[in-house]
Amino acid sequence: MSDAVIAVDNDYIITSWNRAAEKLYGWTATEVLGKNIYRVLPTTYLNGASEQDAIKAMQSAGKWVGEVAQKRKDGTEVIVEACVSYLRNEKGNIIGMVSINRDITEQKRYAEERQRLYEQLQHLQKMESIGRLAGGIAHDFNNILAAILGNVKMATEKTTDEKVTKYLSRIKAASERASALTQKLLGFARQGKYVPAPVDLFDCVRNVVEMLEHTIDKRIEVVVEPASMPTKVIGDRTQLEQVILNIAINAVDAIMPTLEKKQHGVLRFAWRSGVREEIKDVNKHLLLDQPYFCLAISDSGIGIPKEIQKKIFEPFFTTKEIGKGTGLGLAMVYGIMQNHHGAVYVESEVGRGATFELYFPQVLESQTENGVKETYINQKLMSNKRVLIVDDEDMLRELLTEQLTEAGYAVCEASNGVEAIEVLKRLQAEQVRVDAVVLDMNMPKMDGAKAFAEIRALFPRMPILIATGYAQDEMVQKVVESGANGVLVKPYDAEALFEKLNEILKVRA
């Protein structure tokens, strides 16, 4: 029989102990017979049950079934499903109880692990949905901001009234703050400006530490451990330093409340090779053909409660006082790490600090050899050229048309990809040359990626600038790899547009 069978009398003295019980608990029958069951098997009721619940069930139904955790002879824990019923003599009087115990330790651990993975998967799906929503909001917001900033610039250039100039300056400052906020949203949504290059993460840590050491409390010791492996990655240096800085600032904030009592805190940067299996299980975007390493940023702060740990990467979630945090710092960390084929994982206990583990794919030699193409911008503007503006936002399209016209460009417009192709075909038939196209990525009828492919098929040498306030980085990179001549990230100013146009038109000329 595989189940342990244990009998006790009315005083809980063990009267029977079978071989399966010997195997399960490590005690022989000789060692336990005649002893109190609770001294031999310290027992904890699970799933919210208690000894009182078991007694009530026995009294009403004559049986209790439930799960308990018990200690073996060697001190290790075993989880069993116990089925307890009364023992009666020939007269029907209760003379004790018998418990049939089945070992479900592995079964429970498997179920808990499966539940944990399921919850992590649900969390990832939730974060992805929130990311899409955040990206969509940022798209609309960036188009509005581009129109506001552009019109403010034009109005500023045309007015001589100092009071009006002051008002316009305030509008510009507020709009730029809003633009910074949308960039944080796009960072979370993995849709921000992304400039990949070989980056040594150790240098990034050093830069962040140099910045922090001049601003944080002198009682906080910053420790940067040496790395025993290469720490180069392919990524955007600005975004990677932002990730490290955001986590480090949160760590400092967590340490501050402990300094009054301890008078000392530690912020530590440590390195290790590889990636945990459970991280791989729930982060399917990781690169299977590349080795990974981990940057662990730990602090001696107040720690993060378990119930909050699942929420900390959600945008606008913050435990800080009103006005002291946007709730976008860790959301941006999450998005940037996903964008770099990496992962972020947090371990923390209240009162024992926190550790944020950042997993990165190590750069391969072939990637560093390819390098990153650099562009050099000639500041001189080129006029007397014709540009096609393709954007579904009427206000933004009209603004760009006015700015380019004032700079001496001839301008034609289209509100979507289908219309853009029709305009190009019509102008070609009329023998009117179009020198460049400024193409929005997110449009109705035909999006920017599809329009780019069709324009290039019809006009292989046509210079095309991609304008994006909302687009998955992968999509933008694919279009760039397919031959796009540059990327403008909304909201951009007129000078940025002129410089890009100047650059590509000089090449074409």
Side-chain angles (χ1 to χ4, degrees), residues 29-78:
T30 305
E31 291 175 304
V32 300
L33 291 176
K35 292 184 178 178
N36 185 289
I37 184 69
Y38 290 116
R39 292 194 174 183
V40 174
L41 294 178
T43 300
T44 303
Y45 289 82
L46 303 178
N47 304 323
S50 66
E51 186 177 1
Q52 288 71 27
D53 295 327
I55 292 171
K56 286 179 183 178
M58 293 289 289
Q59 290 171 344
S60 61
K63 185 172 76 170
W64 177 79
V65 178
E67 295 176 4
V68 295
Q70 297 175 318
K71 289 289 181 65
R72 295 186 177 99
K73 182 179 180 179
D74 62 7
T76 58
E77 187 177 78
V78 60

Side-chain angles (χ1 to χ4, degrees), residues 183-434:
Q183 289 306 311
K184 290 184 179 181
L185 274 173
L186 289 169
F188 165 71
R190 294 189 285 159
Q191 295 160 357
K193 187 175 181 182
Y194 180 71
V195 184
V199 179
D200 192 330
L201 212 62
F202 195 90
D203 289 342
C204 293
V205 170
R206 203 155 40 196
N207 291 342
V208 169
V209 168
E210 285 177 6
M211 194 187 314
L212 284 174
E213 284 181 332
H214 298 291
T215 57
I216 65 174
D217 193 297
K218 298 297 183 184
R219 292 171 293 178
I220 299 176
E221 179 186 4
V222 180
V223 179
V224 181
E225 295 185 0
S228 60
M229 79 292 292
T231 55
K232 274 194 176 180
V233 299
I234 291 291
D236 185 303
R237 176 179 288 275
T238 301
Q239 290 190 5
L240 292 172
E241 289 188 355
Q242 188 69 57
V243 164
I244 298 166
L245 181 62
N246 285 0
I247 293 175
I249 288 172
N250 281 356
V252 170
D253 289 344
I255 293 171
M256 289 303 294
T258 69
L259 291 180
E260 187 174 347
K261 182 178 180 181
K262 295 182 179 178
Q263 291 297 310
H264 180 258
V266 178
L267 170 60
R268 185 179 302 276
F269 298 84
W271 312 84
R272 60 171 174 266
S273 298
V275 56
R276 300 190 197 193
E277 287 302 319
E278 59 264 36
I279 303 295
K280 291 181 183 177
D281 290 339
V282 294
N283 290 277
K284 300 302 183 184
H285 63 280
L286 299 185
L287 303 174
L288 299 177
D289 57 344
Q290 281 192 243
Y292 273 71
F293 69 93
C294 172
L295 167 60
I297 305 175
S298 57
D299 65 71
S300 59
I302 57 177
I304 307 169
K306 293 292 181 187
E307 63 272 16
I308 290 179
Q309 289 179 28
K310 294 180 181 179
K311 300 178 182 179
I312 58 175
F313 296 109
E314 295 177 9
F316 303 114
F317 178 83
T318 180
T319 57
K320 295 178 182 178
E321 296 175 26
I322 294 174
K324 291 193 175 180
T326 62
L328 286 172
L330 289 179
M332 189 192 301
V333 166
Y334 178 88
I336 292 173
M337 291 303 297
Q338 296 271 312
N339 206 27
H340 285 76
H341 298 287
V344 56
Y345 179 77
V346 61
E347 278 194 338
S348 180
E349 288 184 35
V350 174
R352 302 189 67 178
T355 298
F356 282 80
E357 298 175 354
L358 302 172
Y359 291 93
F360 296 92
Q362 281 180 317
V363 67
L364 301 177
E365 286 302 318
S366 58
Q367 290 172 292
T368 58
E369 288 168 8
N370 290 338
V372 177
K373 295 180 180 178
E374 295 182 358
T375 57
Y376 298 90
I377 297 173
N378 188 323
Q379 299 297 325
K380 184 181 177 182
L381 304 181
M382 296 182 71
S383 58
N384 300 317
K385 300 289 184 179
R386 186 176 302 276
V387 178
L388 171 61
I389 301 295
V390 189
D391 200 300
D392 62 316
E393 289 289 334
D394 295 342
M395 190 190 306
L396 183 57
R397 201 171 61 249
E398 289 168 9
L399 170 67
L400 291 173
T401 298
E402 190 174 345
Q403 288 175 326
L404 287 167
T405 301
E406 287 197 0
Y409 289 88
V411 183
C412 44
E413 302 177 34
S415 61
N416 57 67
V418 173
E419 191 178 317
I421 292 166
E422 290 173 354
V423 169
L424 288 170
K425 285 181 177 178
R426 175 173 56 78
L427 291 174
Q428 185 184 45
E430 295 171 0
Q431 296 186 332
V432 176
R433 169 171 162 148
V434 175

Side-chain angles (χ1 to χ4, degrees), residues 101-161:
N101 296 351
R102 176 167 296 173
D103 184 1
I104 59 169
T105 307
E106 289 305 314
Q107 179 183 330
K108 287 287 289 184
R109 284 177 183 161
Y110 173 75
E112 288 171 1
E113 179 66 13
R114 185 174 59 184
Q115 181 63 24
R116 186 183 66 80
L117 292 175
Y118 175 70
E119 288 175 359
Q120 285 187 338
L121 181 60
Q122 276 192 319
H123 181 63
L124 287 173
Q125 290 171 339
K126 176 184 176 183
M127 296 292 279
E128 187 177 344
S129 298
I130 296 174
R132 285 197 295 269
L133 176 63
I137 293 169
H139 158 62
D140 293 336
F141 210 52
N142 268 335
N143 279 334
I144 295 166
L145 287 170
I148 293 171
L149 286 167
N151 281 291
V152 164
K153 185 177 187 304
M154 294 189 74
T156 303
E157 290 171 351
K158 293 182 186 300
T159 186
T160 56
D161 189 316

Side-chain angles (χ1 to χ4, degrees), residues 139-140 143 388-394 396-397 400 413-421 437-455 464-471 475 479 490:
H139 158 62
D140 293 336
N143 279 334
L388 171 61
I389 301 295
V390 189
D391 200 300
D392 62 316
E393 289 289 334
D394 295 342
L396 183 57
R397 201 171 61 249
L400 291 173
E413 302 177 34
S415 61
N416 57 67
V418 173
E419 191 178 317
I421 292 166
V437 175
V438 179
L439 183 65
D440 186 29
M441 285 295 289
N442 189 37
M443 299 179 293
K445 295 188 179 180
M446 182 187 290
D447 65 22
K450 178 70 173 171
F452 172 84
E454 297 213 9
I455 292 171
I464 302 174
L465 279 177
I466 300 301
T468 175
Y470 166 68
M475 186 189 300
V479 173
K490 296 179 182 178

